[in-house]
Amino acid sequence: MGEIRASEVVSAACDALVAGLDTPGLRTLAACTRAEADYDVHDLLPTALAELGLSFYPVASKVGQEAAARALARHMLAGELTPREFTLRIHQRYGHELPLTERLAELDDEYDILEYGDRTMDQVDAEVAAEARRLATRPTVPAHLTDTPS
């Protein structure tokens, strides 16, 4: 979702090998040097994830954007982001264009006008938290069902 560097993906692959996961693609990914990581991770990651039975969602796809939004929601719920930081990131990434996150973009706008309205920061924070819970618990739809041309 664009939140970590390619070298961190390589480190995670190494950690997975140490933890006992072992596939050819994971070994290839873990073998990347820091210099190679920026160039090779994007090509190697889908294979490594598939071998582990995990889904890879291209970042630019609708399903990838939705998966990234759900991941950010989980980060907020874990206390790694404030509600305001969460809505700002969602709004910056997707504007008002991604239906799944439209309400969050609207709530980001509400933060900007709090001093002129009748809502408080706590009220907007509570609504953001409710939206984050909705996103975090939303089932993931397989890519082949959502990105298929009609």
Side-chain angles (χ1 to χ4, degrees):
M1 51 185 230
E3 292 288 316
I4 62 171
R5 295 182 310 270
S7 61
E8 292 175 274
V9 173
V10 172
S11 293
C14 292
D15 292 344
L17 287 172
V18 169
L21 297 173
D22 190 6
T23 68
L26 190 60
R27 286 192 302 269
T28 303
L29 186 59
C32 285
T33 65
R34 288 180 192 257
E36 295 168 334
D38 289 334
Y39 301 103
D40 295 342
V41 164
H42 297 291
D43 294 331
L44 298 174
L45 187 58
T47 300
L49 291 175
E51 290 172 353
L52 295 169
L54 300 171
S55 298
F56 174 78
Y57 303 114
V59 175
S61 69
K62 181 180 176 188
V63 70
Q65 292 172 338
E66 290 180 354
R70 285 192 304 277
L72 282 173
R74 288 188 294 274
H75 284 284
M76 195 221 84
L77 293 170
E80 297 167 12
L81 296 170
T82 67
R84 177 66 171 125
E85 291 168 333
F86 172 54
T87 60
L88 182 61
R89 280 189 172 173
I90 291 291
H91 200 180
Q92 286 175 334
R93 283 177 184 234
Y94 312 115
H96 293 267
E97 303 303 315
L98 188 63
L100 182 69
T101 61
E102 170 62 22
R103 183 63 187 138
L104 290 166
E106 292 169 355
L107 289 166
D108 183 54
D109 291 335
E110 285 193 36
Y111 280 116
D112 294 335
I113 60 168
L114 276 176
E115 63 188 79
Y116 306 108
D118 57 352
R119 292 187 58 164
T120 67
M121 174 94 61
D122 288 341
Q123 289 171 322
V124 178
D125 284 352
E127 191 169 345
V128 170
E131 281 294 304
R133 284 190 295 278
R134 180 185 67 83
L135 281 180
T137 60
R138 180 186 166 109
T140 302
V141 178
H144 70 278
L145 297 178
T146 58
D147 284 344
T148 304
S150 347

